[in-house]
Amino acid sequence: MTPVIEAEDLRFCFEPGREVLRKVSLRVLAGERVAIAGANGAGKSTLLWCLLGLHRAEGRLRLFGLPPRQARSRVGVVFQNPEDQLFMPTILEDAALPLINRGIGWEQARERARQALAAVGLESEAERPARRLSLGQRKRAAIAAALACDPELLVLDEPTAELDGRAVRLLAAVLERLPVTMLIASHDLAFLRRLATRALILRDGSVLAEGDPERLFSNEALLEEAGLI
Amino acid sequence: MVLSFGDKGIWRGIGRAAAGLGAVGATLAGPPWLWLLAGAGVVSRLWRPLAWRRRLLSLAPVASFALVLAGFELLARGRPSMLALRAMAVCWLAQTCVEGIAPSRWVLSLSPRSLAFRLGLFAAFTEHFAHLFGSATARALLAWRLAAPRAWRSGWFHSLAHALARIVERSLVRAERFYAAQWLRGLGE
């Protein structure tokens, strides 16, 4: 079976001589929920941007066996700030827009967008604009917008940033139910512990540890070394 | 559809269309029509349901630009032409015309294969980014006002310059993220 993500020795720097990613290797299989944990500045978001083809990293990188830019339609992304994704008058239209852009009829696109919103518990808010929703709801709306396109891989960058405890629990419950491969970058260990089937800890742009989330996130010495506690 | 005179939306639409025509007219008109159109531009910017301070402030960016333009002309030719006045009339009337068109409201009614859909989508992106830029600017200026030294004292101008530079920098980062998000959704091309 072709891995969903296959990255070998990824290197990336914003300016010469200062590597932000140092020989990062990662392999994600279908159905996995892989956590990328690390302190601020560890390189989590940069790694995601490289994996998505938004930054050109050195090394070998394949998504679904293809160069990342060619696999774009199979990936759904949820950015840290939902305002970067949602801009239509209603969240239903936000979720439907990429489908319409792909040539799917408005009725069918709306139906799929409704299903995606229902999957994240926002069906009743479908006709409201994103700016009228709470941050937790906006995050879920951004997930719905990604889900509407039936992605095979869902990438989430700091999904719990700025959320209160209740919103985090609700978000985790929503994500747990989704039958899709996930890559989640965060420093919220409790959230990752609940969701992830495998974890990767980054420190200064390189992989410090990889393995079972329960084991990694209960190792205090390791977490301290990674700057996570 | 029957249009009712009580429907404010119709009058707003007519007003915006007139402002658009006025903006086009201002590119060609000479005095006294240009003065009249510039006056109409001022009235259109002030005729909005906002606090007076905000209405007056909304005139400031274009007025400052026109002032600088006139200053350069004064230095170069000894007297300013009608260019500054024309710039003000065109900008204010065009702002009034474009404001409230809200492309995101009608873009989905267009055929996704058409050029109009692409243009509408681009306009919707621009509209959203302008909103993000506006709110980021307001937040940054509020933070600067709370932290800045008293006006005209040492460091005041310096801190203002840094605050403005930071707004530009943050806007670029935000624009990059927004573009990346839309590109990944297949919309950014």
Side-chain angles (χ1 to χ4, degrees):
Chain A
M1 191 170 63
T2 312
V4 175
I5 300 175
E6 205 171 12
E8 272 173 43
D9 295 338
L10 288 191
R11 289 166 179 271
F12 180 76
C13 50
F14 287 107
E15 50 188 282
R18 288 189 63 187
E19 278 191 326
V20 186
L21 291 182
R22 298 169 194 176
K23 295 187 84 174
V24 174
S25 295
L26 170 70
R27 196 177 154 89
V28 177
L29 299 175
E32 280 193 302
R33 289 201 290 253
V34 177
I36 300 175
N40 293 338
K44 302 184 296 290
S45 296
T46 308
L47 175 59
L48 291 191
W49 278 55
C50 289
L51 294 175
L52 294 167
L54 295 169
H55 289 327
R56 288 185 193 277
E58 284 177 42
R60 188 175 181 279
L61 172 60
R62 287 284 181 270
L63 295 190
F64 304 98
L66 300 165
R69 288 183 166 239
Q70 286 179 28
R72 190 186 62 185
S73 61
R74 298 166 74 173
V75 183
V77 186
V78 179
F79 279 77
Q80 184 174 339
N81 191 341
E83 282 187 352
D84 291 335
Q85 290 178 267
L86 310 171
F87 64 96
M88 294 296 282
T90 67
I91 54 172
L92 181 74
E93 287 169 323
D94 263 314
L97 182 60
L99 299 171
I100 289 168
N101 191 48
R102 286 180 191 180
I104 294 171
W106 171 233
E107 283 307 318
Q108 198 187 339
R110 189 159 61 177
E111 187 48 41
R112 278 174 61 177
R114 272 199 193 286
Q115 285 169 4
L117 287 169
V120 298
L122 281 179
E123 204 178 10
S124 58
E125 312 291 340
E127 301 296 339
R128 295 182 71 194
R131 63 177 182 279
R132 297 263 179 267
L133 303 178
S134 70
L135 183 61
Q137 287 175 318
R138 286 205 296 268
K139 292 246 180 187
R140 284 190 280 140
I143 293 171
L147 287 179
C149 297
D150 276 335
E152 293 166 67
L153 169 67
L154 189 61
V155 176
L156 300 113
D157 188 9
E158 298 284 5
T160 60
E162 299 172 56
L163 291 187
D164 59 35
R166 190 175 174 185
V168 170
R169 282 201 304 278
L170 198 56
L171 184 66
V174 163
L175 292 174
E176 260 177 339
R177 286 198 304 266
L178 299 176
V180 61
T181 309
M182 280 180 215
L183 190 61
I184 311 161
S186 174
H187 53 242
D188 185 339
L189 298 183
F191 178 77
L192 294 177
R193 209 173 202 162
R194 177 171 172 182
L195 272 178
T197 54
R198 193 155 59 86
L200 199 84
I201 297 183
L202 286 185
R203 192 194 62 174
D204 295 333
S206 49
V207 179
L208 181 67
E210 185 180 353
D212 174 50
E214 200 56 48
R215 185 176 59 80
L216 293 187
F217 296 152
S218 54
N219 183 339
E220 285 196 13
L222 178 69
L223 295 180
E224 196 153 343
E225 194 183 346
L228 281 162
I229 55 171
Chain B
M1 190 173 69
V2 178
L3 303 181
S4 138
F5 283 108
D7 190 340
K8 284 184 183 171
I10 299 294
W11 291 109
R12 271 202 291 268
I14 292 171
R16 281 189 195 117
L21 285 174
V24 174
T27 61
L28 306 167
W33 282 103
L34 194 53
W35 284 102
L36 203 68
L37 288 168
V42 172
V43 171
S44 74
R45 300 314 293 154
L46 295 180
W47 198 322
R48 293 187 301 161
L50 295 172
W52 269 102
R53 190 165 164 270
R54 288 189 66 188
R55 291 189 223 188
L56 290 169
L57 272 177
S58 75
L59 295 171
V62 174
S64 333
F65 169 73
L67 212 65
V68 171
L69 205 63
F72 279 131
E73 279 194 311
L74 200 65
L75 286 174
R77 306 183 344 161
R79 64 183 176 82
S81 69
M82 299 303 279
L83 190 63
L85 185 66
R86 200 180 300 282
M88 285 192 286
V90 170
C91 289
W92 285 328
L93 288 169
Q95 265 180 313
T96 301
C97 173
V98 171
E99 207 170 64
I101 284 180
S104 57
R105 291 189 189 282
W106 47 260
V107 70
L108 287 182
S109 61
L110 302 169
S111 160
R113 299 267 169 259
S114 66
L115 176 66
F117 181 78
R118 300 273 136 204
L119 292 175
L121 211 51
F122 177 74
F125 287 171
T126 311
E127 175 199 11
H128 182 67
F129 187 70
H131 166 72
L132 291 181
F133 181 72
S135 54
T137 305
R139 274 200 301 272
L141 289 179
L142 177 66
W144 169 74
R145 255 184 22 220
L146 293 171
R150 196 176 289 179
W152 311 114
R153 290 277 176 90
S154 148
W156 183 82
F157 187 73
H158 184 72
S159 63
L160 176 62
H162 272 277
L164 294 176
R166 192 84 185 98
I167 290 169
V168 174
E169 189 188 332
R170 281 169 60 178
S171 308
L172 287 174
V173 171
R174 201 67 197 270
E176 186 191 23
R177 284 190 198 151
F178 180 59
Y179 174 74
Q182 302 311 330
W183 180 81
L184 285 164
R185 297 172 79 200
L187 300 172
E189 289 163 353

